[in-house]
């Protein structure tokens, strides 16, 4: 979009963030350019540099919310002239760095000026809403656990309810502190905001298949929160290559052009690893830190579902979790791991995909469409 004459990053972000919900960046208009330095979020004056600072501070999954919240905050509360600090809900968090960046000359454009938009009473209500929005955007979301002092990522609503007791336990708070400290000192995969991707893409009530992995991929650009899956454009690792070979043998689907398994997750296939984070290039580095306890709780919650779920346990590690599953109510499929070390010892020829669909059909559920974009 920025190659179109007259379109800069602000306009491009407004269109793509708002129309498509894609977090391409953070909107920086004249209001944001004024109040971001005032709030101590940047020391830059150029919009591109301000945006870069904000993107480093704000989790990516909040970019589309944060920009408009800041715009409203600057329009109705943190105004260029006489900011309403007394009625600001984030006053206690704001350093009030005044005069660090001069307001742009068009800061109070006629079409954006508060006096041109609403009478005083309406502006007061808008001010309260805007400051509440900014507080929500810049404060770590702890809705899943009000008792926590730290926050790793945010559990989606359906899983927050299912795991409410679990995430209030001391081990989970300690796990949160561990991961936060690891991120300060090392590169950790997957990135912040993507640790619970599997739970976000597959709500609790929608789980129909549970494919348990062990540890996230630990090389650059691979892990994004789904077991066995990699980002678009990333070369599939050997285990995933073998999965695709069996997919073709089993149901006749040609090798996909991507190892991005999101379409499976969106159909109710929970692609969860037993351990959800890892230090870059150090496999199993976050083993025995608490993740196994948490993901065991996920298995138990899925096991408690009334509807039949197909649990796919590849390899000895995953098969140790069988004791957490009621095989009289759910379908348990066990097989060799697709790793090159074991694929020829029982994985190839096991026909897991057709077997899963047969079990789902027998339970009155729709089969999974295993197709992915082909080459």
């Amino acid at each position: 979009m920025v190659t179109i004459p007259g379109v800069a990053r602000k306009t491009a972000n407004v269109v793509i963030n708002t129309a498509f919900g894609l977090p391409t960046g953070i909107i920086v208009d004249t209001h944001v350019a004024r109040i971001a330095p005032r709030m101590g979020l940047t020391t830059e004056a150029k919009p591109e540099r301000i945006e870069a600072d904000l993107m480093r501070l704000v989790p990516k999954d909040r970019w589309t919310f944060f920009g408009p919240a800041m715009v409203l905050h600057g329009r109705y509360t943190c105004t260029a002239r006489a900011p309403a600090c007394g009625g600001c809900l984030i006053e206690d968090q704001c350093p009030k760095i005044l005069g660090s960046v001069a307001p742009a000359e068009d800061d109070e454009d006629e079409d954006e000026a508060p006096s041109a938009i609403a009478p005083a009473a309406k502006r007061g209500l808008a001010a309260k809403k805007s400051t509440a929005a900014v507080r929500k955007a810049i404060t770590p979301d702890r809705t899943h656990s009000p008792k926590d002092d730290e926050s790793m990522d945010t559990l989606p609503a359906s899983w927050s309810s299912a795991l409410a007791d679990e995430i209030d336990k001391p081990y989970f708070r300690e796990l949160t502190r561990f991961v936060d400290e690891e991120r300060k000192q090392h590169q950790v995969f997957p990135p912040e905001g993507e640790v619970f991707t599997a739970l976000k893409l597959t709500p609790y009530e929608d789980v129909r298949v549970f494919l348990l992995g062990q540890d996230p991929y630990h090389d650059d650009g691979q892990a994004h929160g789904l077991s066995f899956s990699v980002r678009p454009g990333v070369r599939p690792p050997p285990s995933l290559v073998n999965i695709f070979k069996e997919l073709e043998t089993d149901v006749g689907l040609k090798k996909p052009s991507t190892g991005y398994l999101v379409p499976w997750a969106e159909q109710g296939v929970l692609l969860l690893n037993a351990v959800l984070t890892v230090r870059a290039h150090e496999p199993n580095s976050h083993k025995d830190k608490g993740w196994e306890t948490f993901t065991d709780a996920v298995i138990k919650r899925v096991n408690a579902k009334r509807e039949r779920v197909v649990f796919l346990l590849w390899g000895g590690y995953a098969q140790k979790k069988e004791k957490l599953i009621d095989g009289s109510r759910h379908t348990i499929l066990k097989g060799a791991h697709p790793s090159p070390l074991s694929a020829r010892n029982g994985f190839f020829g096991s026909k897991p995909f057709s077997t899963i669909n047969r079990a789902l059909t027998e339970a009155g559920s729709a089969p999974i469409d295993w197709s992915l974009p082909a080459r």
Side-chain angles (χ1 to χ4, degrees):
M1 287 193 66
V2 295
T3 64
I4 301 173
V7 176
R9 283 195 61 85
K10 184 196 82 170
T11 300
N13 282 329
V14 168
V15 173
I16 299 175
N17 288 188
T18 305
F20 301 100
L22 298 175
T24 53
I26 293 176
I27 297 167
V28 177
D29 72 343
T30 53
H31 296 292
V32 179
R34 181 187 70 254
I35 68 174
R38 182 182 285 177
M39 296 168 65
L41 302 179
T42 183
T43 58
E44 300 289 348
K46 293 184 177 180
E48 295 84 358
R49 294 182 178 180
I50 292 172
E51 183 186 5
D53 282 349
L54 295 179
M55 288 193 294
R56 282 191 288 268
L57 290 172
V58 180
K60 187 174 182 179
D61 60 358
R62 300 186 194 175
W63 289 358
T64 58
F65 175 83
F66 182 81
M70 287 284 281
V71 171
L72 291 174
H73 186 57
R75 184 179 296 176
Y76 294 114
T77 300
C78 198
T79 54
R81 305 172 188 87
C85 297
C88 177
L89 298 180
I90 59 172
E91 183 185 14
D92 59 332
Q93 301 177 33
C94 180
K96 303 181 183 66
I97 303 174
L98 303 179
S100 57
V101 177
E105 291 182 1
D106 64 345
D107 186 70
E108 293 295 346
D109 291 337
E110 183 177 352
D111 64 339
E112 291 188 341
S115 59
I117 294 176
K122 188 174 181 180
R123 293 202 308 272
L125 177 60
K128 291 181 180 179
K129 289 182 178 179
S130 69
T131 52
V134 173
R135 175 184 285 275
K136 177 181 178 183
I138 67 175
T139 303
D141 187 344
R142 311 193 214 290
T143 55
H144 66 281
S145 182
K147 299 177 183 179
D148 287 349
D149 292 327
E150 298 85 17
S151 179
M152 190 165 15
D153 279 16
T154 304
L155 282 173
S158 69
W159 288 100
S160 293
S161 176
L163 299 168
D165 294 339
E166 201 67 24
I167 57 183
D168 279 337
K169 292 179 179 178
Y171 89 85
F172 192 84
R173 292 196 289 272
E174 183 59 34
L175 172 61
T176 299
R177 285 190 287 269
F178 166 76
V179 174
D180 288 346
E181 191 60 33
E182 281 282 284
R183 290 195 187 279
K184 293 176 184 177
Q185 300 183 34
H186 308 280
Q187 186 178 19
V188 172
F189 297 136
E192 282 188 285
E194 298 183 3
V195 173
F196 296 127
T197 297
L199 303 181
K200 293 174 182 177
L201 290 175
T202 312
Y204 175 73
E205 59 273 15
D206 293 345
V207 177
R208 300 190 290 137
V209 179
F210 195 144
L211 174 51
L212 183 67
Q214 184 172 351
D215 201 47
Y217 294 127
H218 56 83
D219 283 338
D220 296 326
Q222 293 180 320
H224 65 107
L226 293 182
S227 62
F228 296 102
S229 178
V230 293
R231 300 176 186 278
V234 175
R235 183 178 181 179
S239 292
L240 188 52
V241 170
N242 287 337
I243 289 173
F244 290 156
K245 288 180 180 178
E246 180 61 20
L247 183 67
E248 182 173 3
T249 301
D250 185 6
V251 294
L253 294 174
K254 296 297 183 182
K255 184 178 179 180
S257 60
T258 175
Y260 193 54
L261 305 183
V262 166
W264 295 0
E266 291 175 336
Q267 296 179 73
V269 181
L270 182 60
L271 298 165
L272 191 74
N273 283 309
V275 176
L276 299 188
T277 57
V278 67
R279 191 183 296 177
H281 316 302
E282 298 185 33
N284 293 312
S285 50
H286 287 184
K287 179 183 177 183
D288 298 328
K289 300 298 183 181
W291 279 126
E292 295 90 343
T293 303
F294 174 76
T295 52
D296 278 359
V298 174
I299 296 172
K300 292 175 183 176
R301 298 303 189 277
V302 174
N303 178 64
K305 286 171 63 76
R306 289 184 182 180
E307 303 83 5
R308 182 173 292 272
V309 175
V310 181
F311 288 84
L312 185 55
L313 308 179
W314 281 336
Y317 181 89
Q319 289 167 22
K320 291 178 182 178
K321 307 296 182 179
E322 183 180 3
K323 61 186 178 183
L324 305 177
I325 306 165
D326 183 355
S328 67
R329 295 190 302 109
H330 301 295
T331 300
I332 302 175
L333 302 180
K334 297 185 291 184
H337 195 277
S339 163
L341 299 175
S342 56
R344 297 189 182 280
N345 295 322
F347 175 75
F348 289 138
S350 60
K351 300 186 179 298
F353 305 102
S354 60
T355 304
I356 288 171
N357 279 350
R358 188 161 53 251
L360 291 173
T361 302
E362 291 173 354
S365 182
I368 303 297
D369 178 2
W370 299 107
S371 60
L372 295 167
R375 292 186 184 278

